[in-house]
Amino acid sequence: MRAALTIAAKDLRRRLRDRSALVLGFVAPLMVATLMSFAFAGVESFHADLVVVDHDRGVLAQAFRQLLTGPQLAGFATVRTADTDAAAREQVDQGQAGAAFIVPAGFSSAATGEEPVDVKVLGNPDELVQAQVARSIAEAFVAQLNADRLSIHTALAAGVPAQRIDELAKAAADLRLPESVVAAPTGYRQLRTVSYYAPAMGIFFLFFTIGFAARDYFTEQREGTLERITAAPIRRGAVLLGKSLSTFVYGVFSLGVLAVVSTLLLDAQWGPALPAAAVIVAMAVALVALTALVVAVARSERQAEGLASILTFGLVLLGGNFVLVSQAPPLLRKLALATPNGWALRGLTDLATGAGARAAVVPVAVTLAMSAVVAVLAAAVSWRRTIR
């Protein structure tokens, strides 16, 4: 064990003296995570710029404007008024507003009339989300209005005198649809982009360690260092253990430092310390297994670098390190579960949004299981090569 620790310490010193390893392991993930969080900061919050043209000036039109400026949409939308349809359309076309409502004349009287009156919604094609939200608001208001109209006409058909129509309209205005969507706390936080891309970029750059470690192995083999070590009274298993331990420690240290620094500087959320540390450790174990597989399969330093690059970019593309998995196509979301980094990101994302420590159990278990399979495969390839 002492020999393995000595070899691990030697490899760590050698790696930390390499500036490229320091940049890829610590500096680059933090910088790229910061840039990615700034680039995708707009998806964390939503704000709509809306315009209203009121040709009716009636009670229902006033109620519609109160809905737009009321507490339900406070901080969610900025509402301006326009005098003409052309003025509203111009604001939408120029991007000053994401959508516009045009309330027609006779809108209020339609509540008790026979003919329906439409509310027009103009949407900016460059702001599809705002246009869809505006349409949903108008549809919700009109649905309530139609329910009120139905209740009034039902009362009239049942024999209520027509002279009481104003009284019926007032009573109907206090009614609400029996089913509606209301906001309720869930105990979870919204996932911030920096809380996703900090671990995602950390894992991405961590995978470059596979190439570094494999290259060092073949370099020492070419220079005869490994032969001199094995010539000493040191077992081959101690050599492999020492090199695996150095890769493991480097992986844990790299992600651990990134977690602390991104939390302090960028306010990234990694979740509770112990579950997050378990996910980091599991990811470091996967790193060791993947490195062992590359070393076992490759026959030269150049082959090792090529295999490491293919493995790195294949895993990060499938695992969702560049794209939020929740916003990815269904196929990519399924493929992400076939990668250790995909499971690690899933666990860290759940922890970042406020899930309990149990949220890390399955990701850690699956990541370790995948690592075990890869390690067995690497051992089998290495053994087959040895007996030849």
Side-chain angles (χ1 to χ4, degrees):
M1 187 63 183
R2 183 176 180 181
L5 293 176
T6 302
I7 294 173
K10 183 265 297 180
D11 284 354
L12 283 173
R13 285 195 301 269
R14 182 175 180 178
R15 187 165 301 167
L16 292 177
R17 289 171 184 169
D18 187 348
R19 292 184 179 180
S20 60
L22 292 175
V23 171
L24 291 175
F26 306 100
V27 180
L30 185 63
M31 293 182 62
V32 176
T34 303
L35 294 175
M36 297 285 277
S37 64
F38 284 143
F40 293 98
V43 303
E44 295 181 4
S45 60
F46 176 82
H47 188 84
D49 293 308
L50 307 175
V51 178
V52 180
V53 181
D54 187 1
H55 294 299
D56 181 71
R57 304 293 179 180
V59 176
L60 286 179
Q62 182 180 0
F64 183 64
R65 294 198 308 272
Q66 290 177 349
L67 170 66
L68 296 176
T69 58
Q72 292 180 336
L73 299 180
F76 178 80
T78 299
V79 181
R80 298 187 297 270
T81 59
D83 297 329
T84 63
D85 297 1
R89 185 180 297 275
E90 182 180 2
Q91 292 188 44
V92 172
D93 291 340
Q94 293 182 356
Q96 299 175 0
F101 301 99
I102 299 179
V103 182
F107 180 68
S108 295
S109 60
T112 57
E114 298 293 336
E115 296 295 330
V117 178
D118 296 330
V119 175
K120 294 182 179 180
V121 178
L122 305 178
N124 187 330
D126 295 329
E127 298 289 349
L128 293 179
V129 176
Q130 293 193 44
Q132 292 173 357
V133 169
R135 180 177 178 178
S136 299
I137 294 173
E139 288 178 346
F141 186 84
V142 171
Q144 181 65 61
L145 176 60
N146 288 334
D148 295 345
R149 292 178 68 246
L150 179 62
S151 64
I152 292 173
H153 286 283
T154 301
L156 292 175
V160 176
Q163 294 81 359
R164 298 181 57 189
I165 193 169
D166 292 338
E167 181 183 347
L168 292 175
K170 183 177 180 181
D174 296 330
L175 298 177
R176 291 293 179 268
L177 292 175
E179 295 182 1
S180 60
V181 178
V182 296
T186 62
Y188 291 89
R189 296 184 296 266
Q190 179 181 350
L191 178 65
R192 299 178 60 226
T193 53
V194 69
S195 299
Y196 183 86
Y197 283 110
M201 291 300 101
I203 293 173
F204 168 52
F205 284 101
L206 185 65
F207 278 154
F208 284 101
T209 306
I210 299 174
F212 284 129
R215 184 186 63 190
D216 289 345
Y217 177 85
F218 284 100
T219 298
E220 291 188 355
Q221 188 180 59
R222 185 183 69 250
E223 295 175 350
T225 306
L226 290 180
E227 292 183 2
R228 290 194 294 271
I229 293 176
T230 53
I234 299 175
R235 295 182 179 180
R236 182 177 177 83
V239 177
L240 296 177
L241 178 60
K243 291 189 171 297
S244 299
L245 186 60
S246 67
T247 301
F248 173 78
V249 172
Y250 178 83
V252 172
F253 188 65
S254 176
L255 287 180
V257 171
L258 179 63
V260 174
V261 174
S262 62
T263 299
L264 296 177
L265 297 184
L266 304 177
D267 195 27
Q269 298 291 332
W270 289 66
L274 290 179
V279 176
I280 290 174
V281 168
M283 196 62 239
V285 172
L287 178 69
V288 173
L290 292 170
T291 303
L293 180 63
V294 169
V295 171
V297 173
R299 295 181 179 272
S300 65
E301 183 178 341
R302 181 169 297 181
Q303 282 189 6
E305 290 180 349
L307 289 174
S309 298
I310 294 173
L311 189 62
T312 295
F313 285 98
L315 288 174
V316 298
L317 289 175
L318 293 178
N321 290 68
F322 291 130
V323 181
L324 287 167
V325 176
S326 60
Q327 299 178 3
L331 178 59
L332 184 58
R333 291 200 294 267
K334 292 180 180 179
L335 291 176
L337 299 180
T339 64
N341 49 306
W343 277 101
L345 284 175
R346 181 174 181 175
L348 292 173
T349 298
D350 289 342
L351 293 174
T353 53
R358 292 183 179 180
V361 174
V362 174
V364 169
V366 174
T367 302
L368 292 177
M370 288 182 175
S371 303
V373 172
V374 173
V376 170
L377 180 60
V381 173
S382 181
W383 177 79
R384 184 176 180 181
R385 240 172 162 185
T386 302
I387 63 175
R388 284 182 179 180

